[in-house]
C-alpha cells in the first residue's frame, strides 16, 4: 500500500517492470518457492495463541503446519501429519487443548509433539513411542511474529533479519493483542500485492479516504535496498482511522517521530503497518501464480480493551476499505499483465521501492541459493 520516497526526476534512473512470466508462470512460482520462500516465512503473531494449548493451522505452498503454544509455555510448529499413516491430524484451530489426537486410529500426541497414546501398540516388538513424535519445523519469534523455516540450510534468523532486530521496539509489537483478523482471496500474483504496498503513487486515484488521512507525497524511506523496504508517511490527523483520531491508547512511548504511519514490506510474506495507537500486518501466501491469500490482522495494546475510548472499528474499517481498493487494483493489474498486450512499463520516481524490490528479487532468483 502506502509509502513514499521521491528521488527527484533527475536522480531517479528509470527501470522497467518485470516481464509477464514473473506474474503468470507456475514454473517461476516453483523457483520462488525454493529461492524466496525457502527461508524464514511468517505464519502469524503470538497473540493468536496466547495461552497454553492454543494452536492454529498455517498453510504454506501446500504444507500444513500446527503452530502451538505448548503446555510448557513454548511456541512450536509441527507438520500436521500423523506419524502412523500420515493422516492430517487437525482440520481447524484449537484452544486450551491438552493433546492432539489423529481422527483415524486415535494416535495421540502431547502439545510438545510427543506420542503419548497409540491403541494396541504398547509392548509391540520394535515399536518406539519416542521415535514417533510429530515432525517439527524450525521456528523463530521476532517482535511477536512467528517465523518458520522448512530447511536447515538457511541462514539463522538473526543473520537473515539483522537489519530489523530491535528496529521497531518502540511499538512493543510482541506485547500487542489481536483484535481482528480478516482473510482475503486476491486473484493476483503475490508480488503485485508487495509492489502495490510499496508506493503511494496510486493513493490519490484509488484511496479517497486514505488520501484525506495522510499526505501521500510526504515522508521518507529508511530501508531502500534489499529484502526489507519502507519508511513513513505523515498523517493529516492523529492516526489512520476513519475519524482521523486515535482510537486506542498509544502502543508505546510515542515521540513525534512515531506519530506517523510506518509501512514496511518484509520478504517473503509480511507487510507491516505501524501507527501510534495500533499495529497491523498482512501475511501474503501465494496459492498459485495468479492467486494469493492475504491474512490481515489488527493489534492493540492489552490496556486498550478496557479503555473507555477504545474504538477499534475505526482502524479496522479504514483499512478494510483501503485493502479492498488495493486488492481490486492488484487483480486488475494481474488481468492486464496476463494479456498479450502487456509489455514491461517504466516505474516513476515515486515507485523507487518497487524498482528496488525487483532488483533484489531478480538477484535472488538468479542466485544459486
Ligand atoms: S493415521 Fe493417524 S492414527 Fe492412524
Ligand atoms: Fe493502496
Amino acid at each position: 500500500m502506502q509509502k513514499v520516497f521521491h528521488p527527484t526526476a533527475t536522480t531517479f534512473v528509470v527501470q522497467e517492470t518485470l516481464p509477464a512470466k514473473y506474474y503468470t508462470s507456475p514454473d517461476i512460482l516453483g523457483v520462488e518457492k525454493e529461492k524466496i520462500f525457502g527461508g524464514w516465512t511468517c505464519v502469524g503473531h503470538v497473540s493468536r495463541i496466547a495461552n497454553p494449548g492454543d494452536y492454529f493451522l498455517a498453510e504454506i505452498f501446500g504444507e500444513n503446519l500446527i503452530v502451538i503454544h505448548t503446555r510448557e509455555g513454548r511456541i512450536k510448529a509441527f507438520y500436521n501429519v500423523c506419524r502412523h499413516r500420515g493422516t492430517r491430524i487437525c482440520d481447524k484451530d484449537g484452544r486450551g487443548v491438552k493433546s492432539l489426537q489423529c481422527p483415524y486410529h486415535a494416535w495421540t500426541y502431547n502439545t510438545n509433539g510427543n506420542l503419548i497414546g497409540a491403541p494396541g501398540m504398547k509392548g509391540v516388538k520394535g515399536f518406539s513411542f519416542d521415535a514417533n513424535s510429530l515432525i517439527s519445523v524450525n521456528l523463530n519469534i521476532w517482535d511477536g511474529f512467528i517465523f518458520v523455516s522448512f530447511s536447515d540450510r538457511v541462514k539463522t534468523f538473526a543473520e537473515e533479519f539483522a537489519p530489523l532486530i530491535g528496529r521497531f521496539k518502540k511499538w512493543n509489537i510482541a506485547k500487542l493483542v489481536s483484535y481482528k483478523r480478516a482473510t482475503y482471496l486476491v486473484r493476483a500474483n503475490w508480488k503485485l500485492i508487495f509492489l502495490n504496498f510499496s508506493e503511494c503513487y496510486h493513493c490519490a486515484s484509488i484511496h479517497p479516504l486514505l488520501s484525506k488521512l495522510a499526505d501521500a507525497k510526504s515522508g521518507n524511506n529508511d530501508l531502500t535496498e534489499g529484502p526489507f523496504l519502507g519508511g513513513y508517511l505523515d498523517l493529516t490527523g492523529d492516526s489512520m482511522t476513519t475519524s482521523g483520531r486515535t482510537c486506542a491508547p498509544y502502543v508505546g512511548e510515542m515521540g513525534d517521530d512515531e506519530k506517523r504511519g510506518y509501512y514496511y514490506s518484509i520478504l517473503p510474506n509480511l507487510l507491516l503497518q505501524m501507527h501510534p495507537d495500533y499495529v497491523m500486518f498482512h501475511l501474503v501466501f501465494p496459492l498459485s501464480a495468479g492467486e494469493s491469500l492475504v491474512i490481515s490482522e489488527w493489534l492493540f495494546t492489552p490496556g486498550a480493551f478496557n479503555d473507555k475510548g477504545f474504538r477499534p472499528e475505526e482502524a479496522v474499517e479504514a483499512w478494510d476499505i483501503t485493502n479492498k481498493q488495493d486488492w481490486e487494483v492488484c487483480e486488475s493489474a494481474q488481468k492486464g499483465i496476463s494479456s498479450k498486450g502487456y509489455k514491461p512499463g517504466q516505474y516513476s520516481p515515486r515507485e523507487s521501492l518497487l524498482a528496488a524490490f525487483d532488483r533484489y528479487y531478480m538477484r535472488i532468483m538468479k542466485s544459486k541459493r
Side-chain angles (χ1 to χ4, degrees):
M1 224 276 345
Q2 18 286 329
K3 232 166 292 158
V4 271
F5 174 59
H6 318 295
T8 64
T10 50
T11 58
F12 181 71
V13 179
V14 86
Q15 184 178 313
E16 284 195 340
T17 61
L18 296 179
K21 66 180 181 183
Y22 287 97
Y23 302 101
T24 58
S25 159
D27 291 343
I28 298 269
L29 184 69
V31 178
E32 290 174 346
K33 179 182 172 186
E34 300 306 320
K35 296 202 173 180
I36 307 281
F37 288 83
W40 293 98
T41 303
C42 187
V43 291
H45 186 264
V46 289
S47 72
R48 191 166 171 186
I49 44 175
N51 299 305
D54 292 352
Y55 68 90
F56 68 87
L57 305 182
E59 180 114 355
I60 309 169
F61 282 101
E63 291 293 358
N64 200 276
L65 299 177
I66 301 168
V67 185
I68 192 162
H69 186 149
T70 71
R71 303 303 294 185
E72 291 75 27
R74 293 186 60 200
I75 306 288
K76 287 190 161 190
F78 306 109
Y79 286 99
N80 189 1
V81 175
C82 181
R83 294 302 309 278
H84 177 216
R85 280 167 49 200
T87 304
R88 190 163 279 195
I89 300 165
C90 304
D91 61 0
K92 57 178 186 305
D93 301 349
R95 291 255 161 258
V97 300
K98 292 200 168 56
S99 59
L100 302 165
Q101 188 173 68
C102 177
Y104 204 170
H105 313 94
W107 282 29
T108 304
Y109 306 85
N110 66 17
T111 56
N112 251 323
N114 307 120
L115 183 66
I116 54 170
M121 295 303 288
K122 205 166 181 182
V124 171
K125 201 170 165 199
F127 181 77
S128 158
F129 276 73
D130 288 347
N132 283 288
S133 298
L134 294 178
I135 307 291
S136 62
V137 299
N138 299 315
L139 185 143
N140 210 296
I141 298 174
W142 161 71
D143 276 14
F145 291 111
I146 304 166
F147 285 78
V148 297
S149 164
F150 296 105
S151 167
D152 290 327
R153 288 178 293 123
V154 297
K155 284 187 191 166
T156 66
F157 188 87
E159 283 176 285
E160 191 91 41
F161 282 71
L164 299 184
I165 307 293
R167 191 175 191 102
F168 306 133
K169 60 178 184 291
K170 287 189 177 168
W171 285 267
N172 291 317
I173 305 173
K175 298 206 174 85
L176 302 185
V177 176
S178 173
Y179 168 76
K180 165 98 177 174
R181 190 170 55 258
T183 302
Y184 307 89
L185 173 67
V186 186
R187 290 185 177 81
N189 182 273
W190 69 273
K191 295 186 294 302
L192 292 180
I193 297 167
F194 260 64
L195 295 177
N196 178 68
F197 182 89
S198 302
E199 50 99 350
C200 215
Y201 190 33
H202 69 269
C203 290
S205 14
I206 302 291
H207 301 309
L209 170 66
L210 196 97
S211 298
K212 280 190 214 142
L213 299 171
D215 176 359
K217 291 186 179 169
S218 69
N220 209 339
N221 292 319
D222 48 31
L223 289 172
T224 57
E225 290 291 339
F228 316 124
L229 299 168
Y232 69 84
L233 198 63
D234 288 321
L235 303 173
T236 52
D238 299 324
S239 185
M240 196 69 93
T241 61
T242 47
S243 69
R245 295 182 296 146
T246 53
C247 66
Y250 286 164
V251 294
E253 291 278 324
M254 299 280 105
D256 285 346
D257 279 354
E258 286 76 45
K259 291 175 188 168
R260 295 165 166 162
Y262 282 81
Y263 307 98
Y264 293 91
S265 64
I266 297 167
L267 266 182
N269 75 327
L270 174 61
L271 304 174
L272 180 59
Q273 313 182 178
M274 294 173 294
H275 309 92
D277 51 340
Y278 71 95
V279 168
M280 80 170 291
F281 65 94
H282 312 277
L283 299 180
V284 184
F285 295 102
L287 299 178
S288 66
E291 277 186 328
S292 308
L293 187 76
V294 180
I295 300 175
S296 305
E297 198 152 345
W298 287 256
L299 307 173
F300 294 87
T301 190
F305 292 78
N306 300 316
D307 189 85
K308 281 203 189 89
F310 189 37
R311 304 179 316 285
E313 286 302 324
E314 291 190 9
V316 171
E317 196 187 342
W319 284 107
D320 189 51
I321 290 169
T322 305
N323 289 345
K324 285 173 181 159
Q325 293 163 339
D326 278 324
W327 312 151
E328 197 179 327
V329 80
C330 288
E331 291 183 346
S332 183
Q334 181 74 31
K335 283 180 192 155
I337 291 167
S338 305
S339 160
K340 284 190 185 125
Y342 170 78
K343 303 246 177 306
Q346 294 184 329
Y347 286 126
S348 93
R350 290 180 60 190
E351 296 167 309
S352 62
L353 291 184
L354 289 69
F357 177 92
D358 286 357
R359 284 195 297 275
Y360 182 78
Y361 168 82
M362 288 308 299
R363 186 148 70 80
I364 297 300
M365 289 295 277
K366 285 180 179 160
S367 71
K368 294 212 168 72
R369 166 174 162 168

